[in-house]
DNA sequence: CGGCGCCAATAATGTAGGTTAAGGGGTAGG
DNA sequence: CCTACCCCTTAACCTACATTATTGGCGCCG
């Protein structure tokens, strides 16, 4: 179990006493995921916030033709989750699985709600987290609406230089919103600035 | 000036004392906007959170071919803003203007930061606001990646039944991500369930 | 060694949606 | 009543990307 990464992540935005830290850690569960195993599937209710400590996860939806559309990758140090299902506590439509053997920390909603009461600083931490994620999704929506595929690809390379090296093209294609075939064709035509 | 709507909006998520309410109200500025006038333009820094009390605003980007892509409409009772610019306090790329004569309340970042210190319940309020907005953007991104235009249109109708009545088709097209011509063609072909 | 399955890449064809341009119907202003 | 403008519609053509089929490389197993 690796708590250092999480505490580091939190310390960027709020200060915690030792007591608060210990209380937080007492609420966490650790979970190992083998490559290709699921953390959640369509229809599940999101009962916990998820923080990745090692490996690589992805969150995606599957459309009615069976195609995957990736909303987010989560390397170590990232949070991931179907937030709509978490908020409403209703079944959600998203899938989360591991692209590599991974390890995550789970913070259950009921525990997080207690945590908010006892350590209000966490309200701020998760507010900031949500605001940042919101900014990211706003930007990505703009990109999807207004940029051609090659620009979306280049943006992805710029934002996630470490991911582009370890991901198969197929996964990148499912993120930027094109077919693997088209991405291949596009890259062979444009040597790009990479 | 209309504060009732704002207080109502806040009361859905947190409870405030009379004192807190008065403090909040003391921080607000009211602003009137004529139809077609701008609340912000590309390059501006977002200095305040914006709550709409009357009228109708829209937030959009303009791509390099000059086309508008609408990220959000904001009827009365909604918040709106370029959150990336707000967080980073750097110039942003989005435009916000009024589709009708409107009135908004402004809460400046410096005041909001004070408010967080003095009334921590607002951390919770804006956390919940950001989480809900995040869920909305996540869903919209899924829709844009995985649904054809007609389904995106029907989702829009289902989510914003009051807007569909008062918006010109052109604006709806810029929201769901098609040309006005294509939307028109699509609607004449599919009588839809509306 | 030879066959099989799985991926990544290529090639040929199909289609959703964009572009351009022209026209018509409502309505506000003179 | 005329004109002007806005908004919507229609239709022909075009382009970006999808779909399907095919190919070649590579590890696995007999």
């Amino acid at each position: 179990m690796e708590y250092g990464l999480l505490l580091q992540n939190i310390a960027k935005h709020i200060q915690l006493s030792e007591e608060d830290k210990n209380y937080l850690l007492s609420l966490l569960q650790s979970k190992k995921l083998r490559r290709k195993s699921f953390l959640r599937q369509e229809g599940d209710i999101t009962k916990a916030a998820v923080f990745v400590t090692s490996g690589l996860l992805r969150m995606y939806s599957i459309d009615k033709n069976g195609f995957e559309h990736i909303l987010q990758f989560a390397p170590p140090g990232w949070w991931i989750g179907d937030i709509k299902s978490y908020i409403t506590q209703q079944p959600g439509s998203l899938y989360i699985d591991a692209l590599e053997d991974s390890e995550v920390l789970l913070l259950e909603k009921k525990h997080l709600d207690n945590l908010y009461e006892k350590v209000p600083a966490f309200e701020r931490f998760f507010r900031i987290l949500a605001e940042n994620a919101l900014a990211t999704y706003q930007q990505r929506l703009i990109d999807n609406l207004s940029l051609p595929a090659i620009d979306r690809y280049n943006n992805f390379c710029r934002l996630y230089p470490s991911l582009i090296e370890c991901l198969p093209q197929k996964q990148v294609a499912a993120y930027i919103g094109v077919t693997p075939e088209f991405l291949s064709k596009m890259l062979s035509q444009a040597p790009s600035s990479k």
Side-chain angles (χ1 to χ4, degrees), chain A residues 32-103:
Chain A
K32 292 187 190 220
L33 287 168
R34 290 223 159 278
R35 187 176 137 85
K36 299 203 178 181
S37 65
F38 286 94
L39 186 58
R40 64 161 283 139
Q41 288 180 267
E42 181 163 23
D44 291 352
I45 295 176
T46 301
K47 295 227 169 65
V50 177
F51 180 83
V52 181
T53 56
S54 75
L56 180 60
L57 306 195
R58 78 217 253 248
M59 176 164 71
Y60 59 100
S61 72
I62 299 185
D63 68 26
K64 61 170 182 261
N65 300 316
F67 290 99
E68 299 173 355
H69 303 278
I70 298 179
L71 278 165
Q72 191 192 334
F73 295 106
W78 288 57
W79 295 83
I80 193 168
D82 178 343
I83 193 157
K84 188 166 142 198
S85 170
Y86 180 86
I87 293 171
T88 62
Q89 289 292 295
Q90 299 293 317
S93 61
L94 300 179
Y95 297 76
I96 299 178
D97 66 8
L99 291 174
E100 303 169 6
D101 290 352
S102 303
E103 194 165 355

Side-chain angles (χ1 to χ4, degrees), chain A residues 67-70 140 144 147-153 169-187:
Chain A
F67 290 99
E68 299 173 355
H69 303 278
I70 298 179
R140 186 152 164 224
N144 269 280
L147 297 181
I150 183 65
D151 293 348
R152 300 203 300 276
Y153 177 80
Q169 268 188 6
K170 183 181 170 185
Q171 302 295 334
V172 178
Y175 182 95
I176 65 173
V178 296
T179 56
E181 293 82 353
F182 184 73
L183 178 56
S184 166
K185 198 193 293 188
M186 201 170 66
L187 293 181

Side-chain angles (χ1 to χ4, degrees), chain A residues 3 7-8 11 14-26 115 119 122:
Chain A
Y3 297 128
L7 292 173
Q8 219 175 300
I14 58 172
Q15 287 195 6
L16 293 179
S17 67
E18 283 306 311
E19 193 188 338
D20 295 340
K21 286 183 196 173
N22 289 329
Y23 178 55
L24 167 67
L25 298 187
S26 77
L115 187 60
V119 190
F122 276 99

